[in-house]
């Protein structure tokens, strides 16, 4: 549930009163909140997988070539104009999809470590 | 083992003030959530058939929903996902009773405070265009053929993006921090993400923080997309670990 605010900033500030999807929720409850060690029944090992979508830009040949390609492909005349909201929304979806993948990963880990499903 | 009441394992969502605590939420595994009182404290719990929890999509959402609903009535100390005691009696005997004073003072400290989270992302096309625009050296390298030129271009863009990210992130976090009691800034962000942070604020200051975010969004319009979520329970600000 999210509502864009009114006014000139509306395209660029999304305002949500509560977490609006799995990606948001994972950020809030997996390695946050009070943790009482002896009673946590989800294998902590799976939680690291949440950071699949959280990669820092690292200096690598692959990153450099990807950036070079992206910059070469830029249509500067077009990007001078304001970006459409469609493309921005698309960016958000990508993050969500990756987070979904992370949770699948957790399921696998947890199921595996319990030895049953 | 207590001979009375519930023998099913009890899943715990969080701890709140007993006074005024009530819930009709559905929790993990679709079980109904109940309030388990002990003195001034109340734990939000639900029965689960087995103590082995799997982090399923629906259950993760339910955990957050239960806390969100409780938080809209009273202050809540949120627990992380997946805390299970052998029974409801054990929640009292092993959490509420031995940790009573600590939980009471945590709730007192958090009374009147709310969490807001902010994520800020670059629009990739727009930020790359801005980098080309601002740096003549990058603009000159653009379109040159050959592996060496491509590597030089990519490296220069990567460095320019990192600089810009640091500058913008510092500015955004500093402005919002000035309205907050405490701040948690995540170090790990996605490639075109520049801020992932949580702010603990006095409830009356929420509006000010919103206005500040709107101004930031306007100032960075076209290049940065912001998402502000809350008021939320203080998930990021009770991230302690208790050994027992």
């Amino acid at each position: 549930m999210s509502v864009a605010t009114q006014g000139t900033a509306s395209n660029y500030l999304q305002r949500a009163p509560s977490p609006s999807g799995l990606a948001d929720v994972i950020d809030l409850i997996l390695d946050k909140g009070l943790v009482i060690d002896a009673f946590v029944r989800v294998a902590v090992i799976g939680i690291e997988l949440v950071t699949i979508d959280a990669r820092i830009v690292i200096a690598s040949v692959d990153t450099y070539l990807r950036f070079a390609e992206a910059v070469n492909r830029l249509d500067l005349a077009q990007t001078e104009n304001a970006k459409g909201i469609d493309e921005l929304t698309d960016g958000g979806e990508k993050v969500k999809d990756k987070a979904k993948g992370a949770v699948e990963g957790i399921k696998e880990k947890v199921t595996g470590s319990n030895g049953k499903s | 083992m207590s001979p009375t009441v519930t023998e099913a394992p009890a899943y715990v969502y969080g701890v709140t003030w007993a006074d005024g605590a009530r819930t009709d939420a559905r929790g993990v595994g679709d079980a109904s959530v109940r309030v388990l009182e002990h003195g001034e404290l109340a734990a939000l719990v639900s029965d689960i058939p087995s103590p082995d929890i799997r982090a399923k999509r629906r259950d993760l959402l339910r955990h957050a929903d239960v806390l969100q609903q409780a938080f809209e009535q009273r202050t809540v100390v949120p627990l992380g996902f997946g805390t299970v005691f052998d029974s409801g009696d054990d929640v009292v005997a092993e959490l509420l009773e031995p940790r009573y004073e600590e939980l009471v003072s945590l709730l007192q400290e958090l009374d009147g405070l709310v969490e807001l989270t902010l994520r800020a992302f670059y629009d990739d096309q727009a930020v790359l265009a801005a980098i080309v625009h601002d740096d003549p050296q990058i603009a000159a390298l653009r379109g040159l053929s050959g592996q060496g030129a491509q590597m030089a271009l990519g490296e220069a863009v990567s460095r320019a993006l990192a600089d810009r990210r640091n500058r913008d992130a510092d500015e955004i976090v500093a402005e919002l921090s000035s309205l907050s009691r405490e701040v948690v800034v995540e170090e790990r962000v996605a490639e075109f993400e520049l801020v992932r942070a949580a702010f603990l604020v006095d409830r009356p200051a929420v509006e000010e923080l919103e206005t500040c975010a709107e101004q930031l969004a306007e100032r960075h319009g076209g290049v940065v997309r912001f998402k502000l979520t809350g008021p939320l329970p203080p998930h990021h600000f009770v991230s302690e670990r208790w050994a027992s």
Side-chain angles (χ1 to χ4, degrees):
Chain A
M1 184 169 68
S2 63
V3 182
T5 53
Q6 298 300 307
T8 46
S10 64
N11 283 355
Y12 302 108
L13 176 64
Q14 187 193 354
R15 187 72 184 87
S18 57
S20 50
L22 191 59
D24 284 1
V25 164
I26 285 171
D27 270 353
L28 295 176
I29 67 173
L30 273 193
D31 53 356
K32 304 296 177 336
L34 180 60
V35 173
I36 303 156
D37 276 337
F39 298 98
V40 172
R41 303 299 174 88
V42 175
V44 178
I45 190 170
I47 289 173
E48 286 307 305
L49 297 178
V50 172
T51 59
I52 283 172
D53 79 309
R55 72 202 154 107
I56 290 170
V57 182
I58 49 163
S60 73
V61 172
D62 174 59
T63 308
Y64 292 164
L65 291 179
R66 226 159 22 81
F67 280 160
E69 197 197 353
V71 166
N72 286 331
R73 270 206 318 254
L74 279 180
D75 180 347
L76 290 181
Q78 202 184 339
T79 43
E80 293 293 312
N81 300 323
K83 297 300 300 177
I85 191 69
D86 287 350
E87 200 161 341
L88 299 179
T89 311
D90 185 41
E93 289 304 317
K94 278 183 221 155
V95 170
K96 240 186 245 173
D97 286 345
K98 282 176 190 162
K100 195 170 154 194
V103 171
E104 295 302 318
I106 292 166
K107 278 165 68 176
E108 276 174 36
K109 283 281 184 185
V110 173
T111 308
S113 65
N114 287 343
K116 52 186 155 181
S117 61
Chain B
M1 272 290 153
S2 160
T4 54
V5 217
T6 12
E7 286 304 325
Y11 183 99
V12 185
Y13 303 85
V15 177
T16 182
W17 294 118
D19 180 25
R22 57 188 169 77
T23 177
D24 57 4
R26 310 297 289 187
V28 168
D30 205 34
S32 51
V33 179
R34 65 182 193 279
V35 170
L36 199 61
E37 294 189 19
H38 178 73
E40 283 187 79
L41 298 177
L44 298 157
V45 305
S46 64
D47 291 344
I48 51 164
S50 151
D52 295 321
I53 298 288
R54 296 169 61 192
K56 282 189 282 191
R57 175 192 176 87
R58 193 186 53 212
D59 289 339
L60 290 161
L61 295 173
R62 285 275 171 79
H63 181 102
D65 282 349
V66 168
L67 288 169
Q68 190 71 32
Q69 199 207 65
F71 166 76
E72 276 155 23
Q73 299 168 44
R74 295 303 303 266
T75 306
V76 173
V77 172
L79 265 57
F81 183 85
T83 309
V84 180
F85 290 75
D86 286 341
S87 67
D89 289 348
D90 275 14
V91 176
V92 175
E94 310 217 34
L95 176 64
L96 298 183
E97 206 171 84
R99 298 287 190 166
Y100 190 84
E101 296 304 327
E102 279 162 283
L103 287 166
V104 165
S105 41
L106 254 179
L107 280 170
Q108 284 169 342
E109 283 165 31
L110 294 169
D111 271 339
L113 301 177
V114 304
E115 171 175 325
L116 290 149
T117 61
L118 182 94
R119 295 184 74 172
F121 302 87
Y122 284 122
D123 174 72
D124 54 355
Q125 302 285 302
V127 75
L128 292 175
I131 285 169
V132 173
H133 182 266
D134 290 353
D135 190 329
Q137 202 195 338
I138 288 174
L141 283 167
R142 186 170 167 262
L144 290 184
S145 55
Q147 179 93 352
Q150 290 300 294
M151 286 295 286
L153 173 60
E155 190 177 354
V157 169
S158 178
R159 202 181 309 118
L161 181 63
D163 289 349
R164 184 177 288 260
R165 181 204 304 264
N166 289 338
R167 202 168 62 230
D168 288 346
D170 284 352
E171 176 209 340
I172 290 164
V173 170
E175 291 200 17
L176 295 171
S177 297
S178 68
L179 302 168
S180 310
R181 294 277 199 106
E182 270 183 65
V183 183
V184 172
V185 181
E186 305 279 352
E187 292 297 321
R188 295 176 302 217
V189 295
E191 187 165 72
F192 283 97
E193 184 175 14
L194 62 154
V195 178
R196 187 185 298 200
F199 302 87
L200 187 68
V201 304
D202 292 291
R203 197 178 273 279
V206 169
E207 211 172 310
E208 260 179 285
L209 194 122
E210 281 172 339
T211 306
C212 182
E214 277 165 25
Q215 287 164 353
L216 286 164
E218 209 164 325
R219 202 182 311 154
H220 293 272
V223 181
V224 184
R225 177 174 57 89
F226 294 83
K227 182 176 181 187
L228 182 66
T229 305
L232 305 169
H235 299 277
H236 282 79
F237 302 95
V238 288
S239 44
E240 311 174 23
R241 298 186 75 100
W242 286 355
S244 69

